[in-house]
Amino acid sequence: MGKTNEIAKRPPEPSLGSNYADKAAALARAVVGGVPIAGPFLAEVLTVVIPNQRLDRVEAFLLLLGQELERLSASEKASQPSSAPLIEEGLSQAARAFTSERREYLAKCVAHGVNSDEQAKLNELKILRMLEEIGDDDLLLLDALDGPEARDKLSALQPPQLLANAPDKERAKGELHRASYRKLLSIGLLSSSPYTDEPRRWRYGKHGELEDGPYVSALGRMVLVRVGLRPSGPEVT
């Protein structure tokens, strides 16, 4: 009986509605009730700040996408059913994009996919989804590894060599940098295969020194072209 009374006294859990506004309002009520001091501020972030930021990002992305489609004379192709997955994926990523550079990368990549023929659109969608796995810093590293001034660019990106008693904050910078390198290798944007005639680029050794090693793969160069960091050419389509 005591348990029954205890359950009866509990406040009803917020009921989530069928649309975003209903869900956000219900979650906001729960936040306010559970965190009395910071609750109102957090509720405003949930119901006002985040949605408005996402709308602003999506609007900026759509303007950039429109410009890219016009530049490619591909505006009419945007209405094709096969272009819808590309545009939807671009919108989804743009809503979470923190920087204007990232929105530009996405707009160029989506526009290139929309302008492709029907058979190529699936591969373009794969490249677009691959972008979600890498950050702007990863793209800068990929760009540096592929450029003619690779050594200078890599030296600028490389964290300073650590001393034996370096603080954790400085060690973390180096580890994050090496994590970017490993990520590019793991998803195939860098290659370490010895069976190739490709020119070797530069990489970091285990002590932070630059050495010959893995190079930007054909897929990596394709990604650089898609985001506008490399001009398109006959060898990269």
Side-chain angles (χ1 to χ4, degrees):
M1 190 68 179
K3 263 190 180 180
T4 305
N5 291 336
E6 184 182 344
I7 293 173
K9 290 178 183 177
R10 290 177 187 171
E13 293 186 5
S15 174
L16 298 184
S18 58
N19 57 48
Y20 176 82
D22 291 338
K23 293 178 182 179
L27 288 170
R29 289 195 297 273
V31 168
V32 171
V35 190
I37 297 176
F41 168 73
L42 295 175
E44 183 179 2
V45 170
L46 178 65
T47 58
V48 179
V49 177
I50 291 177
N52 285 347
Q53 284 182 348
R54 287 185 174 179
L55 283 174
D56 290 344
R57 293 168 186 170
V58 166
E59 181 182 14
F61 165 74
L62 288 173
L63 289 172
L64 290 167
L65 178 58
Q67 293 169 5
E68 287 297 317
L69 290 172
E70 287 185 9
R71 184 180 66 82
L72 297 172
S73 301
S75 298
E76 293 183 2
K77 294 182 180 181
S79 61
Q80 296 174 350
S82 57
S83 296
L86 286 157
I87 296 173
E88 289 173 2
E89 180 67 24
L91 286 169
S92 176
Q93 291 190 40
R96 302 187 299 276
F98 289 126
T99 66
S100 58
E101 288 81 8
R102 169 62 60 156
R103 288 188 286 274
E104 290 178 15
Y105 296 153
L106 289 169
K108 290 178 183 295
C109 192
V110 171
H112 191 285
V114 168
N115 195 40
S116 302
D117 59 46
E118 297 297 304
Q119 292 182 337
K121 278 185 166 62
L122 183 59
N123 285 334
E124 296 300 325
L125 182 59
K126 290 179 182 178
I127 292 175
L128 179 59
R129 286 174 175 164
M130 190 175 290
L131 272 183
E132 192 168 21
E133 299 183 44
I134 56 178
D136 291 359
D137 54 341
D138 303 320
L139 279 172
L140 288 177
L141 179 58
L142 188 67
D143 174 46
L145 287 161
D146 189 55
E149 302 100 9
R151 182 179 289 273
D152 292 338
K153 284 187 175 182
L154 284 175
S155 296
L157 293 173
Q158 181 183 8
Q161 191 166 359
L162 295 174
L163 300 175
N165 60 345
D168 286 348
K169 183 177 180 181
E170 295 303 316
R171 291 180 181 277
K173 289 179 181 178
E175 289 166 2
L176 285 170
H177 186 74
R178 289 191 292 274
S180 289
Y181 208 97
R182 291 194 298 271
K183 185 193 299 184
L184 294 172
L185 277 166
S186 69
I187 62 178
L189 301 186
L190 292 180
S191 178
S192 58
S193 171
Y195 306 107
T196 180
D197 294 328
E198 298 261 4
R200 290 285 177 172
R201 299 302 181 188
W202 302 101
R203 74 174 178 121
Y204 299 120
K206 63 180 180 179
H207 299 298
E209 74 280 7
L210 286 169
E211 61 180 21
D212 289 315
Y215 50 88
V216 176
S217 65
L219 179 59
R221 288 198 300 273
M222 192 174 289
V223 167
L224 290 173
V225 169
R226 295 300 183 270
V227 300
L229 290 174
R230 289 289 179 281
S232 182
E235 74 286 354
V236 182
T237 57

